[in-house]
Structure formats: structure tokens, C-alpha cells
Amino acid sequence: IVIGVTGVFGSGKSTVSRFLKAFGLKIIDADKIAHSYLLPKAKAYKKIVNFFGKGILGPKRYINRKKLGDLVFSNPRMLKRLNSIVHPNIVRDIKIKLKKFKRGAVVLDAPLLLEAGLRNIVDSLIVVIIDRDEHIRRMVKKRRLKKTEVVKRIKTQIPIRRKAHVADFIIDNSGSFTNTKKQVKSILEKIQGGSSGKTGD
């Protein structure tokens, strides 16, 4: 069973995945895979630096994610170009990792799961939603971003309502960790029991 977990930037999908991991599931973290392509020895590294320039580099020639983010989240053309470089590699690596799991359930934690066209490889899709004001408040506090920066990043992704529309299950992460964990446990029991249906909305 492949369980997809997605949402918009900062909605709490990683929190949900951590709870699923605590319940004994294996996790494939698409963000970690994506970050690996920013390392100097990665195949996509040279293409990224050639296109965006050496201004995105930090110490030891590592790509500075903050500098790269500032560029792509303010320029749709640049974001599209970055995605065209890394997405095919990420999708390939995800499929390779999935083949290694022969039995049981595995979680695919991917912020751009729908954007990357991966809906068809997951058996159940969980979309994590969050109240807009609470979302912005958390991101300003946690990531030290300005409100305008948070809104700009959110707008680069498929709107949460559209993601929720194609979800098998919905988790509302607007409240406490305890409340979110209860939702995760309930949904996992339904998935493992073979049932489906939207919850949390």
C-alpha cells in the first residue's frame, strides 16, 4: 500500500508523516530527495548553477536554498525551469525506492505530489489542510519569512481546495499536535482496514 501525503507549503505534511512513521510506517521523503540534487556531486547541480548563476552558491560551493528560493518564488519562469531540471530525477528516484518495498505500507511525503503527476502511483491520498491565518502565522514564526513571502510561495502550488478535492482523506492541521495525531491514527486504521472516504472536512 502506498499512502501519499501532500498539501501546500507549510501546511504540516511532514508532521503527519512523522506520526505515520511513529505508527510503524516507512517514509519516502521527496523533499530530502530534492535537496540531494543541490549538492555539488549531484547530476542536476551543474544545470542548476549554469541557469541560475553562481550567486546562488554558499560556502563550499553548496547551493544556498534560501537564495535559490528567493529567485524561483518571485519568478514563475525560473520556478518552471528549476522544476524541469529536478522533477524527472525526483520521480525516478521515488519509483526506484518504491520498488524496494515488497510488502506492508509505505508513505510518500511529497509537497508537489500532484504537480509532479504522481497521483496514479499512490493507493490512498492524504491532503493536509490548515486555516490560512494560522498557516501564515506559523510560517512567519517557524521559517522567519515575511507574510508576503509565505503568500507568494503558496501561490506557486496547486490551491489547497483543488488538492483536497482529489484526496481520499483530509487532515486539518489547524489545531494541536494531539488533534492532528488523532486524525492520523483514525485514517491509518481506515486505510489498513480497506475503507476510504474523505474525513476532516
Side-chain angles (χ1 to χ4, degrees):
I1 300 173
V2 181
I3 303 170
V5 177
T6 193
V8 294
F9 161 75
S11 61
K13 64 173 186 55
S14 295
T15 297
V16 168
S17 293
R18 282 195 296 272
F19 286 138
L20 287 168
K21 184 177 182 179
F23 289 132
L25 277 66
K26 301 294 184 180
I27 309 293
I28 295 176
D29 188 334
D31 268 345
K32 284 187 177 179
I33 295 173
H35 295 162
S36 72
Y37 286 104
L38 303 182
L39 302 177
K41 292 183 179 180
K43 290 181 180 179
Y45 174 89
K46 186 177 290 186
K47 287 183 180 180
I48 295 172
V49 175
N50 284 345
F51 183 81
F52 294 98
K54 293 182 178 179
I56 63 171
L57 297 179
K60 297 182 180 179
R61 297 186 62 79
Y62 278 59
I63 292 175
N64 184 300
R65 286 161 48 194
K66 176 69 167 61
K67 290 181 180 179
L68 182 59
D70 289 343
L71 281 177
V72 301
F73 291 121
S74 61
N75 187 317
R77 183 182 70 85
M78 287 189 171
L79 178 60
K80 186 176 181 180
R81 177 56 179 158
L82 177 63
N83 287 341
S84 73
I85 294 172
V86 298
H87 274 188
N89 295 291
I90 295 170
V91 171
R92 183 199 63 221
D93 285 359
I94 286 172
K95 290 180 178 179
I96 290 172
K97 288 179 180 293
L98 284 174
K99 286 182 180 179
K100 295 180 181 179
F101 294 97
K102 302 298 183 183
R103 60 182 64 184
V106 58
V107 176
L108 173 56
D109 177 345
L112 301 181
L113 189 149
L114 297 176
E115 289 87 342
L118 294 173
R119 178 64 180 91
N120 64 329
I121 71 170
V122 302
D123 301 299
S124 293
L125 178 63
I126 297 173
V127 171
V128 185
I129 65 172
I130 187 171
D131 173 77
R132 181 179 174 84
D133 290 340
E134 177 64 12
H135 186 189
I136 293 173
R137 185 191 70 79
R138 289 183 189 179
M139 287 300 95
V140 169
K141 182 179 179 181
K142 183 179 178 182
R143 301 286 183 92
R144 295 181 180 179
L145 296 170
K146 295 179 181 178
K147 180 179 178 179
T148 53
E149 291 178 310
V150 176
V151 173
K152 193 179 291 183
R153 292 192 179 202
I154 293 171
K155 286 182 177 180
T156 65
Q157 300 179 5
I158 294 175
I160 195 63
R161 287 183 177 274
R162 282 176 57 194
K163 290 189 175 185
H165 185 69
V166 299
D168 296 305
F169 300 95
I170 297 171
I171 289 178
D172 189 341
N173 188 43
S174 304
S176 66
F177 281 145
T178 300
N179 181 265
T180 297
K181 188 174 183 178
K182 285 181 180 179
Q183 294 178 69
V184 173
K185 184 177 180 181
S186 175
I187 288 172
L188 182 57
E189 289 172 350
K190 290 177 180 177
I191 291 173
Q192 293 179 329
S195 65
S196 63
K198 292 184 180 182
T199 64
D201 56 347

